[in-house]
Amino acid sequence: MPPPFDLESFLPYRLNRAAELISLSFAREYKQRYQMTRPEWRTLAALGSAGRMTATEVGAHSNMHKTKVSRTVAALAGRRWLKRRENESDRRVEHLELTAAGLRAYGEIADLARTYQASLEAALGSGAIERIEAGLAEVERALLEKRRP
Amino acid sequence: MPPPFDLESFLPYRLNRAAELISLSFAREYKQRYQMTRPEWRTLAALGSAGRMTATEVGAHSNMHKTKVSRTVAALAGRRWLKRRENESDRRVEHLELTAAGLRAYGEIADLARTYQASLEAALGSGAIERIEAGLAEVERALLEKRRP
DNA sequence: TCTAATTGGTTGCAATTGTAACCGTTGATT
DNA sequence: AATCAACGGTTACAATTGCAACCAATTAGA
């Protein structure tokens, strides 16, 4: 006789609910102020924090579909927040990097993010976020391993 | 001088990435087999595990936008997996409950879910999932509290 | 009691998204 | 070298989504 299924302890469900909640919560901090969408912030954040990257790398890093990355990069380029640099050894690849304006925006929103996380940490107690993230890292490792046998 | 911003330890980013990864991973188990979308599975799961609920409750429970719930309920009703029951004391409300066919589908996919989570648990070690979920519960509590002051 | 505000739920419309097919470039096989 | 598969990235198209406006029913307030 199988154990009953408890949705409340089913990890995909729980992760999705929490992610949607926190993501919308933080998006309220930048959406109107910077006219920025979630994929745009994720791309800006990836480039701002890791420096020059290709579109494929941005997608892998933040787990976004490549067409979503492509369109987001086009939007950010149109806004002059990033520029594309060609790779001379492989002309399919485009390196992406933030412009001065992009870096400035990144810096400001990163401040919001720091403040946001600090207030969350204050509400949760020290170490709580680190513990969650350690668990998430394990989960991701297990899933990516399963995906590439 | 503010501490540098580390995207890898920014909780919204980390939660989103992990949630998207695991959600797509599990969706592969039921998408083609049951011709079911993610919102459909979430709604089916909520109703199957909590029993009769209203659309608003489904949305609150799984944190889905109310129009998404509305359309998903319509799809599941069209498939005869749930039926709507009117509430005689408040005729705006519709109670939703699974039909026999809906319960059967729920049971089968819940089996997949149990198996999925068991294999994940095996890869992670016992207690790992519980620890993450305890952390998520705290986060959700803090966020919902912030939202309703 | 009459009106106004609120609530549960639906829908029109525009924006966002994923799928699949594509283009140009590179790598592998021969 | 010639061909073909694979790769990075883009785009046409269809499906999914969210916003805002809406409807009907209920509740609160004057």
Side-chain angles (χ1 to χ4, degrees), chain B:
Chain B
M1 168 174 263
F5 173 64
D6 177 21
L7 184 59
E8 274 303 306
S9 59
F10 183 51
L11 193 57
Y13 194 81
R14 291 298 305 280
L15 273 178
N16 250 290
R17 196 176 65 188
E20 191 65 15
L21 189 63
I22 197 171
S23 214
L24 286 178
S25 160
F26 180 62
R28 278 207 297 274
E29 308 270 332
Y30 61 78
K31 269 232 156 81
Q32 326 79 332
R33 237 182 292 196
Y34 293 90
Q35 311 285 14
M36 195 163 36
T37 66
R38 282 199 272 167
E40 280 168 17
W41 155 241
R42 280 184 218 164
T43 300
L44 186 75
L47 287 172
S49 98
R52 162 186 293 211
M53 287 167 96
T54 69
T56 299
E57 288 167 339
V58 170
H61 198 276
S62 54
N63 208 56
M64 289 195 293
H65 194 276
K66 69 177 187 169
T67 64
K68 194 190 270 188
V69 174
S70 173
R71 291 186 257 243
T72 302
V73 165
L76 292 176
R79 211 184 250 224
R80 305 282 186 265
W81 278 5
L82 66 79
K83 54 182 178 306
R84 312 171 191 244
R85 285 199 184 287
E86 60 182 17
N87 179 349
E88 60 270 7
S89 77
D90 184 343
R91 275 180 304 176
R92 291 170 304 182
V93 177
E94 284 183 329
H95 294 286
L96 307 169
E97 56 185 52
L98 297 186
T99 61
L103 276 170
R104 200 173 331 117
Y106 167 72
E108 292 178 26
I109 306 177
D111 277 346
L112 290 180
R114 248 192 311 270
T115 303
Y116 182 87
Q117 179 135 330
S119 88
L120 196 58
E121 207 148 4
L124 292 181
S126 149
I129 292 182
E130 281 89 338
R131 279 194 295 276
I132 296 173
E133 289 179 350
L136 293 183
E138 285 187 75
V139 170
E140 290 185 329
R141 185 186 44 67
L143 290 175
L144 293 174
E145 198 159 302
K146 179 177 296 193
R147 180 140 87 179
R148 316 215 169 268

Side-chain angles (χ1 to χ4, degrees), chain A:
Chain A
M1 166 174 266
F5 173 63
D6 177 19
L7 184 59
E8 274 303 306
S9 59
F10 183 50
L11 194 57
Y13 193 80
R14 292 298 306 280
L15 273 178
N16 249 289
R17 196 176 64 185
E20 191 64 14
L21 189 64
I22 197 171
S23 215
L24 285 178
S25 159
F26 180 61
R28 278 207 297 275
E29 308 270 331
Y30 61 76
K31 268 230 156 82
Q32 325 79 335
R33 237 183 292 196
Y34 293 91
Q35 313 284 13
M36 196 162 37
T37 66
R38 282 200 271 167
E40 280 167 18
W41 155 241
R42 279 184 219 165
T43 301
L44 186 75
L47 288 172
S49 99
R52 162 185 293 209
M53 287 168 96
T54 70
T56 298
E57 287 166 339
V58 170
H61 197 277
S62 52
N63 209 55
M64 289 195 292
H65 194 277
K66 69 177 185 166
T67 64
K68 195 191 271 191
V69 174
S70 173
R71 290 186 258 243
T72 301
V73 165
L76 291 177
R79 210 185 254 224
R80 305 282 186 266
W81 278 5
L82 67 77
K83 54 182 179 307
R84 311 169 191 246
R85 286 198 183 288
E86 61 181 15
N87 179 349
E88 61 269 7
S89 77
D90 183 345
R91 273 180 306 176
R92 292 171 301 182
V93 177
E94 285 184 329
H95 294 287
L96 306 170
E97 55 185 52
L98 298 186
T99 61
L103 276 170
R104 200 172 331 118
Y106 167 71
E108 293 179 27
I109 307 177
D111 277 346
L112 291 180
R114 247 192 312 270
T115 303
Y116 182 87
Q117 180 135 330
S119 88
L120 195 58
E121 209 148 2
L124 292 182
S126 149
I129 292 182
E130 280 90 338
R131 281 194 295 276
I132 297 173
E133 290 179 350
L136 293 183
E138 285 186 76
V139 170
E140 290 186 329
R141 185 186 43 67
L143 289 175
L144 293 174
E145 199 159 301
K146 179 176 297 192
R147 181 140 87 180
R148 319 212 168 268

